[in-house]
Amino acid sequence: GQCGAARKLKHRHTTLRSELSQGHAARRGKRSDRAAIIEVASVSLRDALSRNNMLVLQALIAASLAAATSAAPVACVTGATGFLGTELVAQLLEKGYDVRGTVRDPTNANARRLREVALGLDKLASLTLVQADLLGGADAFGPCVAGADVLFHTASPFKSSGITDPTAQLVAPAVQGTESAVAAALATVSVKKIVLTSSIAATMGSFADKAGGGCFDEDDWNGSSEAKIHDNGMDAYRYSKLAAEKKFWSMIEGADGVAGATILPAFIVGPPRTARTDGESLQNMVAALSGETPPRGDTPMVDVRDVAAAHVAAYETPGAAGSAPAEAH
């Protein structure tokens, strides 16, 4: 039933605050003509003005206005070559979005595979890859979010073995990456919603965290993993997701005119869009398909296609936004 231990997906969801009247919400949902000109075409405008070429300037303004009023929605996806990121990019392209994806290296094999996915969908022209690192600060994400309508922040380190410094390897990249990507989006005038990939790890460290075996839901916070980050890799990872989501909500609650939503999946499995086999999720599936006992064989699982679809729905569904749960349960 509702309290099954293998609940596969949770979405922090509440009704939008009352001050978001219908007219105000409609205004927030529209892309700003001025924003498109300023954020996307500012460099070209300066070039045109410096040459005093009014024909070029007029053509540029006309093109920018046309793009602002009729272009496809623009989505920024961080961690675009990851297992979930690739599926999310593909679904957005299939729905007609222009997608900008952040990657560590736009020239490596993973980036090439992502372009091949877009090519197979006949959407290569709708995909742009932007180099960015989780520890690169807000400026690293600026080119991805400038003029975008929505930010999907999926990028975060996911590993549970070989952890010698949990803060440096997991917590700092998760928290600082979230802070940088969200700060870059909030600095724009175009991004109206930010969707964060969190995890059930942010709600619980183990089933024993809730007395009486109760059901965990989106009102819960993980209260046990922080004290154990030096004991095992899984609790270090769980705490990194908890800390990143808390940072996200602290920034959203202080923002004006930008809504937030978080998606909290369990262990993600399912058919990958590429032949990439590294990463914890894919290695777990390779082990199972090879007749071995996978290291995460007893964990609650969710299909990557459903998780990606939940991200898209969180952006497209009116009212699918919320706020952080209370600290006390």
Side-chain angles (χ1 to χ4, degrees), residues 81 103 105-116 127 129:
T81 58
V103 296
D105 181 358
T107 66
N108 69 13
N110 292 329
R112 186 189 70 246
R113 293 187 185 106
L114 183 57
R115 291 191 182 94
E116 290 172 350
L127 175 65
L129 299 186

Side-chain angles (χ1 to χ4, degrees), residues 135-328:
L135 298 177
D139 289 347
F141 295 93
C144 186
V145 297
D149 299 288
V150 57
L151 165 65
F152 295 99
H153 182 51
T154 78
S156 191
F158 180 26
K159 59 184 302 182
S160 58
S161 60
I163 306 298
T164 58
D165 186 340
T167 298
Q169 292 173 270
L170 291 171
V171 180
V175 175
Q176 293 178 28
T178 297
E179 183 176 19
S180 295
V182 173
L186 294 180
T188 73
V189 295
S190 60
V191 173
K192 298 305 179 186
K193 183 176 280 189
I194 304 173
V195 181
L196 173 75
T197 308
S198 186
S199 168
I200 62 168
T203 70
M204 57 178 286
S206 72
F207 292 121
D209 284 359
K210 181 162 283 192
C215 181
F216 293 88
D217 60 29
E218 62 271 23
D219 291 325
D220 290 305
W221 284 118
N222 179 340
S224 63
S225 289
E226 182 177 7
K228 299 184 286 185
I229 63 171
H230 295 285
D231 298 338
N232 64 83
M234 275 311 305
D235 276 304
Y237 166 72
R238 292 183 184 115
Y239 177 66
S240 76
K241 299 302 289 186
L242 169 70
E245 188 180 342
K246 286 189 173 183
K247 170 58 70 174
F248 172 77
W249 285 120
S250 71
M251 299 178 74
I252 291 296
E253 288 175 346
D256 181 24
V258 179
T262 60
I263 306 299
L264 289 81
F267 190 65
I268 302 175
V269 297
R273 291 270 183 166
T274 74
R276 183 177 179 179
T277 57
D278 60 324
E280 296 240 348
S281 290
L282 291 167
Q283 288 176 353
N284 200 77
M285 290 187 289
V286 168
L289 293 171
S290 300
E292 304 172 10
T293 301
R296 304 284 300 280
D298 61 346
T299 188
M301 299 181 186
V302 61
D303 193 298
V304 65
R305 294 165 294 186
D306 293 333
V307 181
H311 281 70
V312 179
Y315 169 58
E316 294 184 340
T317 304
S323 58
E327 287 291 332

Side-chain angles (χ1 to χ4, degrees), residues 31-38 40-42 44-45 48 54-72 98:
R31 297 185 63 201
S32 165
D33 292 356
R34 293 185 180 88
I37 294 173
I38 293 171
V40 177
S42 59
S44 298
L45 277 169
M54 293 307 297
L55 290 177
V56 173
L57 179 58
Q58 290 169 359
L60 178 59
I61 292 175
S64 298
L65 285 171
T69 56
S70 63
D98 284 337

